[in-house]
Amino acid sequence: MLEELKEIRLKAFTELGSASDFKELEQWRIRYLGKKSRLTQILRSISTLSIEERRNTGAHANAMRKSLEEALEEKSHALKTSHFAPSLENRVDITLPGYPIPIGRSHPTTQTIEEICQVFQNMGFQIFEGPDVEWDYYNFEALNIPADHPARDMFATFWIDSNRGMKNRLLRTHTSPMQIRVMEQLKPPIRMIVPGRCYRYEATDTTHESMFYQVEGLAVDKNITMADLKGTLFDFCRCIFGDERKVRFRCDYFPFVEPGVEIAIECLACHGNGCRTCGYTGWIEILGAGMVNPNVLRGVGLDPDVYSGFAFGMGVERIPMLRYGIDDIRLFYNNDIRFLRQF
Ligand code: FA5
């Protein structure tokens, strides 16, 4: 039996050496290691041998099975390497340049906010941020807009909850609540700006979104006048739109300022002739402003006979609209990458 084992071994290794693909390898496995192979038969018959033969033949047969299995494993690995390597080389041209990885960029609104902040920082304004979810007190009450004041209609509100029938928390309709929060914390002189999201429960159109950005501004000190307000805001308009662009400055009403004004810029889409984008007026309003109402100063413990101030709140998206002739504010938040990657 030992002789037979030697013969099987010699034959098996010779045939394994000449196996050139996986099909031949599988046939080899069945022939030498399969259930019906001679080696398996020998291993099964070992129990019928005498003790002496059993020990000798059993050890040889088991060692042979092990070495055949190892040789099979090795050959299979060698075949895999030689099988895939040349075909990979044929399919992949490693000299070709790689695919470019698209690089992200800031949203046009973020870019505009950064630019606005830079202009005001150069004038000495500090930057603050405040909560999107606001109390009725800060959004309205402390800004001289008590409950049932008709001016609440100017700000169509998303309410969040109410307290025993009293509406209480909301998504801020403007960044002006931060005027109060900052004046509660800091003593004049104050020069601050606040960029942030605002929400209004209103139908959208070419210049109105239900979620948009504003930058609030506030300056409080002794002897601040309307001339400071006008000079600051005209300087800002020149920095952003250049010297040539027409700026309209006229009266407006906001309960938290007195007097109140608004600034509008000539529409780029129609050069002031009137079009769908500007609602056929030739102008797009970018900000409301005014001298801080004495009631507001009193509410935060400042004496209006000693201190005065100006405040403004500007719509951020309207600035790139006016600069680049974008005819619909809704394009900013549609997430169309073809629009966004232009900036
Ligand atoms: C206000 O929100 C006042 N808080 C501004 C203010 C601050 C006045 C301080 C006085 C002193 P108004 O609702 O007009 O005002 O909005 C200010 C600017 O935000 C507008 O000029 C416009 O540029 C922008 N804006 C207003 N509503 C929308 C909207 N729905 N979508 C996009 N931009 C808007």
Side-chain angles (χ1 to χ4, degrees):
M1 213 173 260
L2 284 178
E3 273 310 305
E4 193 186 355
L5 280 175
K6 268 188 204 162
E7 266 173 41
I8 295 172
R9 183 187 168 86
L10 187 68
K11 228 175 135 200
F13 275 101
T14 317
E15 284 178 22
L16 185 65
S18 55
S20 57
D21 59 31
F22 288 106
K23 199 173 158 206
E24 283 180 22
L25 201 62
E26 178 58 9
Q27 285 164 354
W28 181 92
R29 188 193 64 77
I30 293 167
R31 211 160 39 247
Y32 290 100
L33 292 166
K35 277 186 203 155
K36 291 182 186 160
S37 67
R38 183 66 190 128
L39 179 61
T40 308
Q41 280 171 5
I42 291 173
L43 281 164
R44 275 196 197 130
S45 68
I46 279 172
S47 57
T48 62
L49 301 176
S50 67
I51 295 179
E52 192 54 34
E53 275 181 323
R54 206 185 292 174
R55 199 176 292 145
N56 212 0
T57 315
H60 270 87
N62 275 316
M64 191 171 128
R65 183 175 183 94
K66 195 161 175 260
S67 67
L68 288 188
E69 279 170 352
E70 281 170 4
L72 173 69
E73 183 68 36
E74 233 172 78
K75 180 75 183 187
S76 166
H77 181 73
L79 271 184
K80 266 184 210 155
T81 323
S82 62
H83 179 76
F84 289 118
S87 58
L88 251 185
E89 257 168 43
N90 292 341
R91 277 183 314 193
V92 181
D93 180 354
I94 56 165
T95 62
L96 283 175
Y99 291 110
I101 297 168
I103 298 171
R105 65 189 75 200
S106 306
H107 191 277
T109 304
T110 311
Q111 291 180 30
T112 311
I113 289 174
E114 280 168 4
E115 211 178 325
I116 296 169
C117 288
Q118 191 57 60
V119 173
F120 284 107
Q121 268 182 312
N122 292 347
M123 297 186 200
F125 283 71
Q126 260 182 294
I127 301 172
F128 289 87
E129 282 188 354
D132 289 21
V133 175
E134 209 23 297
W135 296 102
D136 177 290
Y137 175 76
Y138 287 106
N139 199 81
F140 292 125
E141 198 87 16
L143 286 167
N144 203 28
I145 317 175
D148 302 328
H149 192 294
R152 289 207 177 200
D153 293 345
M154 291 162 72
F155 305 101
T157 309
F158 286 106
W159 290 98
I160 290 181
D161 61 14
S162 59
N163 186 7
R164 280 192 240 109
M166 291 280 290
K167 285 175 175 169
N168 211 345
R169 260 193 317 182
L170 46 84
L171 290 178
R172 67 176 172 198
T173 56
H174 51 173
T175 41
S176 298
M178 278 303 286
Q179 290 184 32
I180 308 300
R181 286 182 179 274
V182 169
M183 283 192 284
E184 280 178 349
Q185 299 293 324
L186 303 180
K187 290 276 153 268
I190 295 170
R191 263 182 260 158
M192 66 105 190
I193 56 164
V194 182
R197 271 192 213 100
C198 305
Y199 308 83
R200 294 203 191 165
Y201 184 44
E202 60 188 17
T204 64
D205 62 25
T206 52
T207 51
H208 293 84
E209 255 293 5
S210 44
M211 191 286 295
F212 59 100
Y213 282 77
Q214 282 189 345
V215 173
E216 189 77 11
L218 174 73
V220 183
D221 202 352
K222 291 175 183 160
N223 303 320
I224 292 221
T225 68
M226 190 77 172
D228 297 311
L229 179 158
K230 197 174 175 190
T232 306
L233 293 178
F234 270 62
D235 253 5
F236 167 77
C237 290
R238 266 196 294 275
C239 286
I240 296 287
F241 297 107
D243 291 335
E244 304 301 321
R245 202 69 179 276
K246 281 194 193 146
V247 178
R248 188 182 73 184
F249 185 78
R250 66 178 191 182
C251 291
D252 202 349
Y253 170 73
F254 303 95
F256 33 96
V257 287
E258 183 56 40
V261 294
E262 60 140 72
I263 287 188
I265 307 286
E266 192 181 52
C267 176
L268 185 70
C270 61
H271 296 282
N273 292 323
C275 66
R276 178 176 156 266
T277 308
C278 58
Y280 302 96
T281 62
W283 298 94
I284 294 184
E285 186 196 311
I286 58 158
L287 63 86
M291 301 305 292
V292 181
N293 192 305
N295 285 341
V296 174
L297 292 174
R298 257 183 237 112
V300 292
L302 293 175
D303 182 350
D305 291 330
V306 180
Y307 292 106
S308 55
F310 69 78
F312 59 86
M314 70 178 70
V316 172
E317 294 82 359
R318 302 228 178 143
I319 290 176
M321 286 181 78
L322 281 156
R323 269 175 146 183
Y324 308 122
I326 299 164
D327 60 6
D328 198 322
I329 194 171
R330 290 166 292 201
L331 289 166
F332 284 86
Y333 305 113
N334 280 349
N335 281 341
D336 186 335
I337 199 76
R338 292 167 303 176
F339 171 75
L340 296 173
R341 69 153 64 103
Q342 298 175 84
F343 301 93

